[in-house]
Amino acid sequence: NGDQIGAAGSFLATEFKRRYGFGFLAVEYPGYGLAQGQPSEKSIIHTANIALQHCIHELKIEPHRIILFGQSLGTGPALQLACSYHDIIPKLILLSPFTSIPAVAHSVFPFIPLSFLRVAIHDTFDNLKFMRSLSAIKRHDKKHPKCLILHGTEDEIVPFTQGQQLAAAGLAPLSSLTSSISPSSNQSRRNNGAISDFSFSTTFIPLRDLGHNNVFFDFYAHPNDSSPTSVIDIIARFASSSSSSSSSS
C-alpha cells in the first residue's frame, strides 16, 4: 500500500539477519522508489520472477532454502510464484493478503458492484484463484509449498475476512478460521496452537488486535505464550519448521 523498499525491506532484512541469521532479499515494484518501469500486475510478476531466478542462478541459493514471502500487495506475486515453482519452493508466507484487488475496492466502495469492478480494474491480482490452484496442486502432487497466512483482525485496509477466505481455499484447518473467540478462552488456546505446530499444509493465524500497517511494530499477545510474540518471531518459527506437511490438511 505504498511502502518503498528502503523502509520495510531494510528493516526486515536487518531484523531477520540479527535475530535469526536469515538472509532476506526485498524486491521493489517497478515504478516505485528508484526502480524503473511502470507498476502493473504483469510487470510486478515479471520482476518477482527475475528476482527468484537471480537467487537460484546468480547467488547459487538452492531452491529448497528459499521461502517466498509477500505482504499486502506483495502477496500477489508471492502466491503466483508459489504456483509456478510449486515443485521446488518449500514454503510460502502471506501477510495481510487479499482475495483480489476488485474485492478490496468493493470493501471500500460497497455501493459499486463487484461485477463492475472486476471488469474496470485490469490488474486484479486474483489471489483466490491462485490459492485454489495451489490447493489443487496439493491434492495431486506431493511436491508443494507449505503455506503460512497471517492477518490482523483489525486490518483497516484489507478485510480480515479475505485472509480467512484464502486460508479456507488453501485447505487450512477449519478450527483456525474462527475469529469470534476470545483470546483468553480455552477454545482460543486450542485453535491458536498452530503458532508452534506447522504440520498442516496451510496454517492460518489471526493476529488479534493488529491492523494493516502495524504488524511488525506491535506485539501480538498469543494466549499460549507467557510473553507477547512478534510477527517476525512467528515467521521465523515457520521458516525453521519442517517442510513436510500433514496429509489431513
Side-chain angles (χ1 to χ4, degrees), residues 16-208:
F16 279 119
K17 181 65 175 180
R18 179 180 66 85
R19 293 161 62 173
Y20 294 99
F22 293 163
F24 187 89
L25 176 66
V27 184
E28 184 69 283
Y29 301 133
Y32 277 59
L34 300 177
Q36 299 180 350
Q38 294 295 321
S40 68
E41 180 170 0
K42 182 178 180 180
S43 67
I44 289 174
I45 299 301
H46 178 67
T47 300
N49 189 59
I50 290 177
L52 179 58
Q53 294 300 320
H54 176 74
C55 287
I56 296 173
H57 299 294
E58 303 298 327
L59 300 181
K60 305 299 181 182
I61 301 174
E62 297 176 346
H64 72 268
R65 298 178 56 209
I66 296 175
I67 298 173
L68 297 175
F69 169 48
Q71 178 188 8
S72 192
L73 180 60
T75 61
L79 184 49
Q80 291 192 36
L81 284 186
C83 288
S84 298
Y85 297 93
H86 67 88
D87 55 337
I88 62 173
I89 296 297
K91 294 175 184 175
L92 166 69
I93 302 171
L94 304 176
L95 175 61
S96 309
F98 52 88
T99 53
S100 71
I101 295 298
V104 175
H106 183 63
S107 71
V108 178
F109 306 105
F111 51 87
I112 302 179
L114 181 58
S115 57
F116 172 79
L117 291 170
R118 286 172 173 161
V119 175
I121 298 176
H122 299 291
D123 300 310
T124 61
F125 283 102
D126 195 343
N127 280 352
L128 189 57
K129 180 185 76 173
F130 283 99
M131 181 59 78
R132 287 169 175 162
S133 297
L134 193 60
S135 296
I137 291 171
K138 292 177 182 180
R139 292 188 183 98
H140 303 291
D141 194 333
K142 290 184 178 180
K143 292 184 177 181
H144 62 264
K146 291 177 65 174
C147 180
L148 170 64
I149 300 176
L150 307 105
H151 208 125
T153 59
E154 304 305 313
D155 195 318
E156 68 282 9
I157 295 177
V158 179
F160 172 72
T161 53
Q162 293 197 21
Q164 289 177 305
Q165 290 178 57
L166 282 179
L171 309 178
L174 200 57
S175 61
S176 69
L177 304 182
T178 304
S179 62
S180 59
I181 52 182
S182 168
S184 61
S185 70
N186 290 331
Q187 182 185 6
S188 175
R189 292 173 188 274
R190 291 194 299 270
N191 289 346
N192 284 312
I195 282 196
S196 58
D197 176 16
F198 298 109
S199 60
F200 293 98
S201 61
T202 298
T203 298
F204 178 67
I205 299 179
L207 301 174
R208 299 189 180 282

Side-chain angles (χ1 to χ4, degrees), residues 226-246:
S226 57
S227 59
T229 301
S230 74
V231 169
I232 290 178
D233 292 331
I234 299 173
I235 291 174
R237 293 185 202 178
F238 175 73
S240 302
S241 66
S242 170
S243 295
S244 59
S245 59
S246 170

